[in-house]
């Protein structure tokens, strides 16, 4: 915008650039996910906003970083961030799109938790939270050899662990 002032003595002008920031909005968010242990978990999140949003991930309210191991004995996580669109101030039709994917390649029971995608820019932030459940195949424990003396009763104890119980 240019402001021009003119009188009998002459004129003066000043130009100002107006930058309109648009708060970030998550347009694609992850869904609650249930997988069996050993199966990869992939969560995706996409946001728009101007300036371009920065996307981060939390697990149980703790910030995750790429290659951090989030489980006991599990594989590290992989965070992949990308951007799409021109994101041009001079082009009102342009869109600033940010995407992020969180991958757990070999899930284990301790990867279970509440995961949050947080998209932030200088105009605001938006977040989505999902639950990740990891099922664990049952393991049966039993004494392999039992001796019974007739005519006494015999108790056979069998225990199993797994998730869900």
């Amino acid at each position: 915008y240019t402001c021009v002032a003119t009188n009998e003595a002459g004129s003066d002008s000043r130009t100002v650039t107006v930058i309109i920031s648009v708060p970030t909005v998550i347009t694609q968010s992850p869904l609650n996910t249930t997988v069996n242990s050993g199966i990869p978990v992939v969560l995706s999140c996409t946001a728009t906003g101007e300036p371009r949003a920065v996307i981060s991930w939390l697990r149980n309210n703790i910030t995750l970083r790429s290659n951090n191991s989030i489980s006991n004995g599990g594989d590290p996580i992989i965070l992949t961030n990308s951007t799409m669109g021109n994101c041009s101030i001079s082009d009102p039709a342009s869109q600033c799109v940010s995407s992020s994917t969180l991958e757990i390649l070999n899930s284990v029971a301790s990867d279970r938790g509440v995961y949050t995608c947080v998209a932030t820019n200088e105009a605001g932030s938006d977040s989505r939270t999902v639950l990740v459940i990891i099922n664990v195949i049952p393991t049966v424990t039993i004494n392999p050899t039992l001796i019974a003396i007739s005519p006494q009763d015999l108790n056979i104890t069998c225990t199993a662990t797994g998730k869900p119980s």
Side-chain angles (χ1 to χ4, degrees):
Y1 292 93
T2 302
C3 175
V4 179
T6 305
N7 66 13
E8 296 172 1
S11 67
D12 190 18
S13 66
R14 294 287 184 264
T15 301
V16 63
T17 301
V18 177
I19 299 172
I20 299 172
S21 295
V22 178
T24 189
V25 174
I26 293 177
T27 55
Q28 176 197 350
S29 59
L31 302 173
N32 289 341
T33 302
T34 301
V35 298
N36 291 336
S37 62
I39 301 298
V41 174
V42 179
L43 305 175
S44 296
C45 189
T46 301
T48 60
E50 193 169 327
R52 196 179 300 280
V54 174
I55 298 177
S56 59
W57 291 90
L58 301 128
R59 177 179 175 262
N60 299 331
N61 293 319
I62 297 172
T63 301
L64 297 174
R65 298 192 191 328
S66 194
N67 296 324
N68 283 0
S69 181
I70 58 173
S71 59
N72 298 327
D75 286 341
I77 61 167
I78 298 172
L79 297 177
T80 306
N81 294 309
S82 63
T83 58
M84 296 169 279
N86 191 10
C87 202
S88 169
I89 294 170
S90 61
D91 180 6
S94 70
Q95 275 209 328
C96 304
V97 180
S98 300
S99 293
S100 183
T101 302
L102 180 152
E103 294 180 78
I104 304 169
L105 299 179
N106 184 25
S107 62
V108 295
S110 57
D111 290 325
R112 178 187 178 162
V114 176
Y115 289 78
T116 306
C117 166
V118 181
T120 306
N121 70 7
E122 66 185 35
S125 66
D126 195 8
S127 65
R128 297 290 185 278
T129 299
V130 297
L131 178 62
V132 173
I133 297 171
I134 310 296
N135 291 328
V136 178
I137 297 170
T139 302
V140 175
T141 305
I142 191 169
N143 187 344
T145 306
L146 300 172
I147 299 174
I149 300 173
S150 181
Q152 296 176 348
D153 291 339
L154 176 64
N155 288 330
I156 300 173
T157 304
C158 173
T159 58
T161 59
K163 290 184 183 179
S165 298

